[in-house]
Amino acid sequence: MFFDDYLKTNKVYHIAPINDLNQILLNGIKYDDKVTYGDKYYDFHCFIDSLKPSHIPSWVKRKKSIFATMNYRDHPNFYSHNVVMALTIDPSRCWVANENTANQTYEPFVLQEVELLNGAKEYMKQEGKRLIEEYWETSLSFEDNLNKRMDLKEGYDAEVLILHSIDPKDIEILYIVSDHKVMEFNEWKKVFCKGK
């Protein structure tokens, strides 16, 4: 694993654009505080929530989640112009699901409205629906996951749905990612903030 295990660190990991860093440091993180929330993901989250079975607690709502990971299997390729943060969470207000099943439906969900690609509607009615049902059926509370450790199983890409806001005091900046390299936060400050 890239980071030490949660049982040692009590941290999960979140990535955000560097343009959001000042707001994050001042106000923390909320589920709907980024432009991409409404423009890029809201309808997709609503679709996934619409297939949530009744045995999943009502407080678990993907459309009201902050997304994080428990870890990375090996050295990840972070996207440029992002910041990687460690977050302290309330485990009783988090849920874990297999992001692999959701990811297989995102492009067909978005592109089914493009006339040239509207055949994806059939995929979404059949395979897309099945994948999201699997997403929920293999999901579990964060605390249950600490016992079962689904996040360590092959093929299970555990995304953490954080269902509470994150205060600035619960955020630690780990890396700033540029086009050219990933720099630890203190290393970045030494290079670009001389004299501070």
Side-chain angles (χ1 to χ4, degrees), residues 129-147:
K129 183 177 182 220
R130 185 196 68 74
L131 284 165
I132 298 309
E133 288 169 347
E134 182 182 334
Y135 173 88
W136 287 118
E137 289 305 323
T138 60
S139 73
L140 66 171
S141 75
F142 189 90
E143 293 168 318
D144 284 346
N145 182 65
L146 292 178
N147 292 322

Side-chain angles (χ1 to χ4, degrees), residues 72-161:
Y72 300 95
R73 296 209 184 275
D74 38 43
H75 197 285
N77 292 319
F78 296 120
Y79 292 112
S80 298
H81 314 302
N82 279 308
V83 57
V84 180
M85 298 164 277
L87 309 179
T88 301
I89 57 166
D90 175 353
S92 70
R93 296 175 63 199
C94 296
W95 201 258
V96 173
N98 186 356
E99 187 176 13
N100 283 338
T101 52
N103 283 349
Q104 291 178 60
T105 62
Y106 182 68
E107 285 81 13
F109 178 82
V110 171
L111 296 175
Q112 67 183 332
E113 300 307 321
V114 175
E115 188 173 335
L116 180 66
L117 303 170
N118 66 10
K121 286 181 181 178
E122 285 308 309
Y123 177 90
M124 289 306 299
K125 286 179 189 171
Q126 307 286 325
E127 185 65 7
K129 183 177 182 220
R130 185 196 68 74
L131 284 165
I132 298 309
E133 288 169 347
E134 182 182 334
Y135 173 88
W136 287 118
E137 289 305 323
T138 60
S139 73
L140 66 171
S141 75
F142 189 90
E143 293 168 318
D144 284 346
N145 182 65
L146 292 178
N147 292 322
K148 296 181 180 175
R149 294 313 301 256
M150 295 296 288
D151 62 297
L152 298 178
K153 295 195 174 178
E154 192 65 36
Y156 196 98
D157 185 9
E159 68 178 357
V160 180
L161 282 64

Side-chain angles (χ1 to χ4, degrees), residues 47-71:
F47 166 69
I48 293 174
D49 282 343
S50 74
L51 295 172
K52 185 180 80 168
S54 60
H55 68 272
I56 305 287
S58 60
W59 56 267
V60 176
K61 292 180 178 145
R62 190 177 160 94
K63 67 184 173 193
K64 292 194 172 187
S65 297
I66 297 166
F67 295 89
T69 185
M70 291 195 66
N71 216 324

